[in-house]
Amino acid sequence: MRSLVGRNSRRLSWLLAGIIAIAAPISPSWSLSVQSLNVVGTLSPGEWEAYRSHFIEDDGRVVDNANGNISHSEGQGYGLLLALAANDRVTFERIWSFVFTELLIRDDGLAAWKWDPKAKPRVTDRNNATDGDILIAYALAKAGAAWKESRYTTAAQKLARAIGKNTFGRDRGSVFLLPGAEGFSAGERPDGPVVNLSYWIFEAFPVLASLAPEYEWNRVWREGVELLQQATSGRIRLPADWISIQSRMQTKPADGFPPEFGYNSLRIPLYLLRAGMTDLEWLRALKQRWSAENEGVAIVNVVTGSIRERPNDQGYALLSAALACALDGTPVPGQLKTFDPQLYYPSTLYLITKSWLGEKRPQCV
Amino acid sequence: MDESALRYFASQGDTRRVNAEIARLRALYPNWTPPSDMSQLSGTVTVDPIIDRLWNLYKEDRIAEVRAAIAERQSSNPNWKPPEELTTALETTEARRRLTNAFDSGQWRTVLTIATENPNLLTCVNVDVLWRVAEAFVKTEQSDRGRDVYTYLLTNCANPGERLATLQKALGLLPDNQVADLLQFERKTGNEPDNFDSIREELARRRVERASNDEKMTATAEDLAVVERMTRNSDEPGPVLVLAWYNYHHGNPARALDLFKTALNRKGGNKAAEGYAMSLRALERLAEAEAFAYDWRDKAPENMKVYLDVATALLSQDPPPRLEPRIVARIVPIVISQRFPDGAQALGWYAYNTSQFQTARGWFRQALDWRADDEPSAYGLALTTQRLNDRAGFSTIVAQWRDRSERIADLADGTVPRAAPQRIPSVQTAQPADTLPQVPMRPAPARAETSRTVVEASSLPVETRPRTVTVETRTGARRGCLVTRNPEGLAPGAAVTLGWCLMEANRPLEAVSAFDEAIRRGGGRTRQEAAYGKSLAYLRKNLTSEAAVAAAQAPQTGERRIELSASILSQRAVAAYRNGRYVETILALSERARIVPEQTDLMLIRGWSYYKLGRYQDAEKVFRAVQRTGNSEDASVGLNAVMEARIPARQ
C-alpha cells in the first residue's frame, strides 16, 4: 500500500478501487517470516546416488540432458545444494571446482550462466542468471557452516556481495531482484523493469543477508512476496514466468516471452514451502488447481487460462503432492515415493522437494 | 620441510620439475642442500599411496578429482593435510584455468586480478598466461603495462619461437612505435639467435600502408624497398596491394596498374579490382576501365562506386566520345538503380552533346531529383530547356537558380554565348561541347540511323518504373536475343526485354513482333513500354504511319508522347519532302514545331520546301535563321538559290 504515495489522485482513486476489490485474498507480507532449514542429511544415499550417476560428471559438471547436455549456473547451484543434502562432500567439492574454474570468471564476481561442451570458448553466454548465483552462494554458505570449511564461506560471501551489488534493481522506491545484471532494468527494456518471481529463493535471503549485511536483502524478499500477490490477483490467479513491473500495482506479462505460468514459475510454491511461508492464501488456491480432481500441474496461459501442456514427470507431480502435504497433511502417493531419474530438471525438483519433505514433513513420506 | 614433491617428481623422472622444485626449496630454506644424486632421491621414495594418486590425477589435469580425493581423505581423517606443494600446484592450475576462461570471455579485470593474486603463474613456463595478461592490460587501456609484460618476457624467456610470437602478439595490440622499441631485445648471439626480420618487415609495410592512401605522406626508400622485397618473397596479395595504392596515390598510376594486376592474379579480390579500375581511369583508359569495372560492380559497394565514377568519366569526355550503344545502355540501368546524380548528369550532357535534347532534359531533371543542389545539372537543364524552346521549363529553372548560379543568371540575361559555358572546377562533369552536335538528330535524312547511340530508348528515367526489374532483365537478356526466337508465349516483361535487346542489335522488325506480344498480353506499364518500343522500332525502319499507330496503342507519358510525336512528324516531313509533296512537308513541320523546337536540318528542309513552293520571302527568312545558328554553309546555298530564283523576276 505504501507504494501509492506520490501517484496522482485520479489514478489513485481507481487504483484504490482495484485494491479494495482484491484486498481479501492478499495477506500482508510483513506477517510472514522465513524459517531456516538444516538441509544436511535429508536425502537418502540411494536417491542421491541415482541422481549423481545420471547427471554429474567426474569434473563436477551437472549436465542438463534435455538441453543438448549443456550446463548452467542454476544446475551447478542445485547440484551443490543436493550434495549438501546428501552430506556428500566429495561431490560437493567436484561441483564447486567446476563452478569456480569455469563459471566464476565475470568481472563483477557473478557466475556466467551457460556452458556448452561443444562450443569454444565453452561459456556461450557470459550473462549471469540471478537464481543460479543465489543457489550457489546459498549452498556454499550452508556447506561452509555445516562442514566448517572457510573456503566455502569466503566464496559464499564474495558471491553474496556481488549479487547485492549488481542484481538489486531499484524503481520508484522499491528494491527487487533483477533476473540478470544486464538487460532487465527500466532503462534497458521498453517494458522494464522485468522480473522472474521464481528467482526469489526465499530461504536463501536471511543466510545471504548475514554474509553481506550492507545490502537490503530483507526489502528484496518482501518485495518478492508483494509482487507475487500482485501477479496472482488477476482472474486466472497465476503469475507469468516473466513479468513487467513497470506499473507495480498492475504487473503484466513481459514482452517477448510467452504469457505463461511455465517451467520457471512451477518452482514458486516449492520455494515458499521450503521457506516456511505456508500462510500465503495463494498457495491454497494453487493447491486447489493442482489437485487431482482439478487440472493438476500444468503450463497455463495466464491471460486466457488455457492449458498448453501437462508435464508428466514425477518431479512435477511431487510438487503438487508436497503442497497437499504441507497444507492438509495429505500423504504423498505411493507411486511418487520411488525416485526414477530421467531428465535433469524434474529430477532436480524431485530431490529438492524430497529433501524438504524429509526434513520438515517426514510423516507424509 | 617437505620433500615429498621433489621425491615424487624424481620418481617420475621429471627433471624439469625436479629442478624447479629444488629452486623453490632453496629459496625457502637457504641452508638446505639438495641430494646430489637423483637416483638416490627416487630410491628413497616412501610415498603415501594417496599422495601418489593425487599427483597422478594432477598430472592428468583432473583438478576437480584431486580436490574430491583430498576432501574424501579429510572426511575419514580430519587432521590429514595434502602436501603444501600439491596445494600450491593445484591452486596455480586452477588460477591458470580461470584466467584462461576469463580471457576467453573478455573479462579483462578478472584476468588481471587472478594474475595479481597468483604471481607464481607469471613465469616463462606459462608464456601463454603472460600473453593473456599483456592483452588484458592493453584492453583495459594500460598499454604501457602491457608493454612491460612483453619486455619482461623478452628479457627473461629463452625460447626463440615464443620470443618471436611475443612480438607478433605485440604487433596486434601495441602502437607501432612501442613494437619497434621491443626490437632492441633481439638476441643476435647464442645457440638460438632471434630473427625479428618479419616484424621489421611488417612495421615497414604498415608505414608504407599509412602513406599509401595519403598523397601528402611519403614512405622512406628503405621501407619501400622492404615492401618490394616482401612482394617478391611471398604470393600474398597484401604487400602488393599496399605498394599498388602507394603508387596510385603518389602519381604513378602506370606502376600501380601493374601492381594491381599482380594483386588480382594473387586473388587480391575486390580491393585489387577497385584499384585496377581506378588506375585505368587515372591513365585516361576510360573504355577499358568501364569494361573492367562493369564485371566487378556487384562485388562490394566500393566496386559499384568505382564503376559509377568510371562510367561517368567515360560519358563526360570532351569532346563527347562515340560510344557503342550497348555500353550506354548498360550504364543507364545502373545509374538508375543506384540513384547516382553524377551519372544522371553525365548522361544528360552526353545526350545534350549528341543533340538528344528531350532526353538530356529528362536526365538533368533526374539528377536534380536525386540531388537538389546540383548546380551543373541545373545549368544543363537551363541550357536544354532553352534549346527545346521550353519557355516554362526554362523560366522555372532560372527562377530557382539565378541567385545561386552566375552562369544560369547570365544565360537568362543572354550575356553568354550559349556554346561556351564556363567550367566549374569542383565538379567533374562534361559540358556542352563547343562543336555542333556531331551526330545528327533522328531522323537523319542524309545518314544511316545506326551510327547513333540511342540514349533514349528504354532509358529515360521514369520515376515510377520498377527500376530493379529493369536493370536485371536488361542485363540478363543481352546474350539471349541474338539467336532468332519466336516471342510468342513469352511473359510480357520478357517480351519487352527481348524487344529492347533486338533494338540494340539493330533488328527493329523482329523487335516489333516482340513488342507486339507484350502489347497483346501485358498490362499498364509493360504495355506502355512495349508500345513505345514498337514506335521507335518503326521509326528506325522509317515506317512512319505504323509508328503513329503503335504510339497510340498505349497511353504514353507526356515526355514520351512528345518525343514520339516529334519523331513521327519529322519522319513524315522528310518522307513528304523526298516525294516532292512540299505542302505536306510544311504542315508536318509546323505541327512538330508546336511541340518541340525545330533543329537546323529540319529548318533547311522547311526552307527548301518554301523555295520549291515559290515562297521566296519565307524561304529567305528560314535560311537567315539557319545562318544565325552558325550553319552558314548550308544556309548560304539556300540563300544563293533564293537570290537566283528572284533575279529573273526583275527582268
Side-chain angles (χ1 to χ4, degrees):
Chain A
M1 309 291 144
R2 52 204 152 74
S3 61
L4 293 177
V5 174
R7 292 175 193 267
N8 67 54
S9 57
R10 194 165 47 82
R11 181 105 183 259
L12 187 70
S13 60
W14 71 256
L15 260 178
L16 273 175
I19 299 265
I20 289 154
I22 57 171
I26 290 194
S27 43
S29 65
W30 51 87
S31 70
L32 292 163
S33 65
V34 174
Q35 296 169 16
S36 74
L37 291 168
N38 283 331
V39 179
V40 186
T42 54
L43 280 183
S44 73
E47 285 177 329
W48 170 239
E49 185 48 38
Y51 183 91
R52 199 188 60 71
S53 60
H54 260 87
F55 307 114
I56 305 178
E57 301 197 333
D58 285 346
D59 62 358
R61 187 164 90 79
V62 180
V63 179
D64 184 346
N65 62 341
N67 227 328
N69 290 335
I70 62 161
S71 295
H72 26 64
S73 57
E74 166 218 284
Q76 298 300 124
Y78 282 135
L80 289 173
L81 199 56
L82 293 173
L84 178 70
N87 202 6
D88 178 355
R89 253 188 101 163
V90 175
T91 305
F92 189 96
E93 192 60 62
R94 283 180 205 268
I95 301 172
W96 166 239
S97 173
F98 183 89
V99 172
F100 180 61
T101 55
E102 298 295 322
L103 305 182
L104 276 177
I105 54 166
R106 282 171 55 104
D107 283 349
D108 61 9
L110 298 167
W113 84 268
K114 191 174 181 186
W115 195 98
D116 185 341
K118 294 190 286 290
K120 204 85 183 119
R122 298 254 166 72
V123 170
T124 50
D125 187 345
R126 62 169 182 263
N127 284 303
N128 77 303
T130 306
D131 65 334
D133 295 315
I134 290 177
L135 283 166
I136 293 166
Y138 172 58
L140 283 168
K142 297 294 274 185
W147 294 326
K148 301 187 180 47
E149 173 59 79
S150 63
R151 277 193 303 131
Y152 300 157
T153 311
T154 309
Q157 182 168 55
K158 253 189 167 157
L159 189 48
R161 285 180 180 150
I163 295 165
K165 183 163 191 262
N166 300 292
T167 73
F168 288 3
R170 289 171 182 280
D171 193 45
R172 286 166 293 189
S174 61
V175 189
F176 47 86
L177 200 62
L178 289 164
E182 288 103 28
F184 295 94
S185 69
E188 291 167 301
R189 286 178 61 105
D191 62 342
V194 162
V195 299
N196 184 321
L197 294 173
S198 72
Y199 282 27
W200 267 265
I201 300 154
F202 295 105
E203 71 201 82
F205 280 73
V207 176
L208 301 185
S210 67
L211 287 173
E214 64 273 37
Y215 298 101
E216 299 175 281
W217 300 90
N218 211 12
R219 271 185 80 185
V220 173
W221 88 254
R222 283 191 190 285
E223 182 69 17
V225 178
E226 300 224 355
L227 288 172
L228 178 64
Q229 294 185 320
Q230 282 304 331
T232 56
S233 62
R235 187 172 59 88
I236 307 295
R237 302 221 56 192
L238 290 174
D241 283 351
W242 299 94
I243 291 176
S244 159
I245 57 166
Q246 200 157 60
S247 159
R248 200 161 147 271
M249 304 309 286
Q250 249 198 314
T251 61
K252 57 177 201 295
D255 296 339
F257 296 99
E260 277 176 352
F261 176 80
Y263 287 101
N264 280 280
S265 301
L266 289 176
R267 299 174 291 184
I268 297 172
L270 171 60
Y271 291 156
L272 291 170
L273 297 186
R274 285 181 60 96
M277 296 158 68
T278 46
D279 290 351
L280 271 178
E281 192 276 340
W282 175 68
L283 282 178
R284 232 158 239 291
L286 186 69
K287 186 200 66 123
Q288 215 38 51
R289 184 186 276 274
W290 273 6
S291 65
E293 54 275 14
N294 226 316
E295 68 188 23
V297 178
I299 308 302
V300 183
N301 181 307
V302 302
V303 181
T304 63
S306 62
I307 294 176
R308 183 172 66 81
E309 198 184 336
R310 295 176 198 272
N312 57 2
D313 191 287
Q314 60 171 176
Y316 304 113
L318 191 63
L319 291 175
S320 147
L323 191 53
C325 159
L327 299 183
D328 307 334
T330 316
V332 171
Q335 75 269 22
L336 289 182
K337 286 184 184 169
T338 319
F339 182 39
D340 174 27
Q342 303 288 331
L343 296 174
Y344 147 82
Y345 186 63
S347 303
T348 303
L349 294 181
Y350 181 96
L351 285 193
I352 297 275
T353 311
K354 204 68 177 287
S355 147
W356 175 75
L357 286 165
E359 177 170 345
K360 294 287 185 188
R361 297 286 194 281
Q363 67 275 19
C364 293
V365 283
Chain B
M1 67 161 299
D2 172 12
E3 287 187 13
S4 62
L6 189 57
R7 291 177 193 290
Y8 174 74
F9 291 140
S11 74
Q12 299 283 313
D14 189 339
T15 6
R16 195 174 63 91
R17 282 213 168 94
V18 166
N19 292 334
E21 179 62 9
I22 288 174
R24 193 186 71 90
L25 291 171
R26 268 200 169 139
L28 281 173
Y29 312 102
N31 300 330
W32 173 75
T33 35
S36 53
D37 185 1
M38 278 301 126
S39 60
Q40 174 202 356
L41 241 189
S42 53
T44 60
V45 168
T46 47
V47 182
D48 178 347
I50 170 83
I51 296 201
D52 201 20
R53 205 179 114 228
L54 291 176
W55 280 114
N56 271 322
L57 287 169
Y58 171 77
K59 275 190 72 163
E60 287 169 20
D61 226 16
R62 290 153 71 181
I63 301 306
E65 291 169 72
V66 181
R67 287 279 182 203
I70 292 171
E72 193 170 21
R73 178 68 189 263
Q74 284 176 329
S75 57
S76 60
N77 178 1
N79 294 326
W80 181 84
K81 275 207 168 47
E84 187 195 333
E85 179 61 24
L86 177 66
T87 313
T88 310
L90 208 49
E91 282 170 356
T92 306
T93 304
E94 282 169 349
R96 187 199 174 105
R97 271 196 201 180
R98 295 189 66 226
L99 188 142
T100 306
N101 289 328
F103 179 89
D104 288 347
S105 286
Q107 302 298 294
W108 314 119
R109 284 191 293 121
T110 305
V111 170
L112 296 173
T113 307
I114 296 170
T116 310
E117 290 168 355
N118 298 274
N120 52 350
L121 265 181
L122 308 178
T123 64
C124 294
V125 182
N126 303 313
V127 170
D128 61 317
V129 171
L130 292 170
W131 287 337
R132 289 190 169 95
V133 171
E135 182 161 342
F137 274 131
V138 174
K139 292 278 163 64
T140 51
E141 263 127 65
Q142 310 172 74
S143 70
D144 285 0
R145 301 194 63 184
R147 183 204 48 207
D148 295 346
V149 176
Y150 294 130
T151 304
Y152 167 87
L153 218 150
L154 291 167
T155 313
N156 296 292
C157 308
N159 178 314
E162 289 172 348
R163 294 168 60 77
L164 181 59
T166 298
L167 277 154
Q168 284 160 346
K169 296 270 177 200
L171 269 176
L173 293 160
L174 293 182
D176 286 1
N177 59 340
Q178 291 194 348
V179 181
D181 285 348
L182 291 174
L183 289 170
Q184 64 182 292
F185 297 105
E186 186 172 33
R187 294 176 180 173
K188 304 257 193 341
T189 54
N191 305 344
E192 298 175 297
D194 289 324
N195 180 352
F196 292 167
D197 285 353
S198 60
I199 308 296
R200 276 188 200 85
E201 283 181 352
E202 173 59 15
L203 289 169
R205 193 197 64 78
R206 288 182 182 186
R207 284 190 292 268
V208 175
E209 185 174 37
R210 270 195 296 277
S212 71
N213 292 315
D214 182 348
E215 57 209 33
K216 289 189 273 309
M217 270 176 76
T218 48
T220 64
E222 290 107 317
D223 282 352
L224 287 166
V226 170
V227 180
E228 287 274 7
R229 202 170 53 238
M230 286 172 87
T231 63
R232 286 194 300 274
N233 294 344
S234 88
D235 288 339
E236 286 296 302
V240 187
L241 276 171
V242 168
L243 216 52
W245 286 113
Y246 187 88
N247 277 283
Y248 176 84
H249 284 291
H250 293 78
N252 196 346
R255 172 99 175 94
L257 187 73
D258 287 346
L259 287 160
F260 282 122
K261 184 96 194 90
T262 308
L264 278 169
N265 296 340
R266 294 182 179 186
K267 303 202 166 35
N270 306 347
K271 278 314 260 183
E274 186 190 345
Y276 189 78
M278 285 165 76
S279 304
L280 280 173
R281 187 193 156 162
L283 293 164
E284 300 283 341
R285 290 157 62 179
L286 295 174
E288 283 169 85
E290 189 276 341
F292 177 85
Y294 183 79
D295 293 337
W296 286 82
R297 71 192 185 284
D298 288 334
K299 296 285 189 292
E302 292 77 16
N303 299 90
M304 177 57 86
K305 189 179 168 304
V306 167
Y307 177 71
L308 290 168
D309 287 346
V310 165
T312 302
L314 180 73
L315 291 167
S316 308
Q317 291 169 96
D318 189 13
R322 187 159 297 220
L323 296 178
E324 284 176 64
R326 96 192 148 78
I327 303 293
V328 179
R330 76 185 181 184
I331 294 173
V332 166
I334 299 175
V335 166
I336 289 176
S337 68
Q338 298 294 315
R339 308 175 70 85
F340 185 60
D342 288 352
Q345 189 203 133
L347 283 162
W349 290 122
Y350 186 79
Y352 183 94
N353 289 332
T354 50
S355 300
Q356 303 170 67
F357 301 111
Q358 302 273 4
T359 307
R361 180 170 60 184
W363 280 113
F364 289 130
R365 282 197 175 133
Q366 184 63 79
L368 285 165
D369 236 24
W370 288 333
R371 191 166 64 210
D373 61 352
D374 191 23
E375 192 273 349
S377 292
Y379 180 60
L381 186 54
L383 280 177
T384 317
T385 46
Q386 196 178 50
R387 283 296 287 264
L388 288 167
N389 254 343
D390 169 5
R391 289 199 186 81
F394 181 73
S395 41
T396 306
I397 196 77
V398 166
Q400 286 169 343
W401 281 88
R402 71 177 314 149
D403 300 341
R404 285 186 280 170
S405 162
E406 200 177 327
R407 54 184 180 164
I408 292 175
D410 290 347
L411 205 58
D413 304 340
T415 55
V416 167
R418 227 200 289 177
Q422 70 220 59
R423 272 191 175 280
I424 292 256
S426 64
V427 188
Q428 254 282 354
T429 61
Q431 302 290 337
D434 292 350
T435 52
L436 261 189
Q438 306 200 327
V439 187
M441 273 203 67
R442 153 185 22 111
R447 301 197 205 182
E449 241 274 314
T450 48
S451 66
R452 277 192 69 258
T453 295
V454 183
V455 187
E456 100 293 270
S458 76
S459 62
L460 247 190
V462 177
E463 210 28 77
T464 46
R465 187 194 300 167
R467 297 253 148 90
T468 46
V469 175
T470 312
V471 176
E472 283 161 24
T473 52
R474 282 291 145 67
T475 47
R478 280 273 170 274
R479 270 157 272 111
C481 74
L482 301 177
V483 181
T484 305
R485 287 164 61 193
N486 182 350
E488 261 180 47
L490 276 183
V496 171
T497 306
L498 178 65
W500 289 123
C501 186
L502 288 161
M503 283 291 281
E504 260 190 53
N506 209 23
R507 287 150 61 182
L509 279 180
E510 289 166 70
V512 167
S513 54
F515 287 129
D516 266 342
E517 187 64 17
I519 291 169
R520 262 199 301 283
R521 304 153 49 101
R525 205 162 288 141
T526 315
R527 208 179 135 80
Q528 184 184 357
E529 170 122 359
Y532 175 61
K534 185 174 166 184
S535 310
L536 288 174
Y538 276 128
L539 285 171
R540 201 171 287 183
K541 273 292 175 207
N542 281 346
L543 300 167
T544 315
S545 55
E546 277 88 340
V549 171
Q553 274 183 312
Q556 296 297 334
T557 60
E559 281 286 311
R560 281 191 174 175
R561 199 170 43 244
I562 290 170
E563 191 175 3
L564 279 173
S565 309
S567 302
I568 290 165
L569 287 164
S570 49
Q571 292 222 359
R572 250 188 219 152
V574 172
Y577 180 75
R578 283 198 183 134
N579 294 333
R581 302 195 307 273
Y582 302 119
V583 176
E584 252 181 87
T585 306
I586 304 278
L587 281 173
L589 285 175
S590 302
E591 205 175 326
R592 185 180 178 280
R594 278 206 295 279
I595 51 173
V596 290
E598 198 161 88
Q599 73 257 27
T600 319
D601 48 2
L602 292 179
M603 283 168 80
L604 286 168
I605 289 176
R606 178 189 289 272
W608 287 111
S609 296
Y610 284 139
Y611 173 83
K612 295 281 187 195
L613 292 169
R615 295 166 58 180
Y616 298 126
Q617 218 181 333
D618 291 327
E620 185 182 340
K621 256 192 219 154
V622 174
F623 288 134
R624 291 257 177 248
V626 173
Q627 200 171 34
R628 280 195 297 277
T629 67
N631 202 339
S632 51
E633 222 173 275
D634 289 346
S636 46
V637 173
L639 288 167
N640 285 334
V642 170
M643 304 265 271
E644 294 231 10
R646 284 175 171 174
I647 287 165
R650 290 187 198 149
Q651 281 177 348

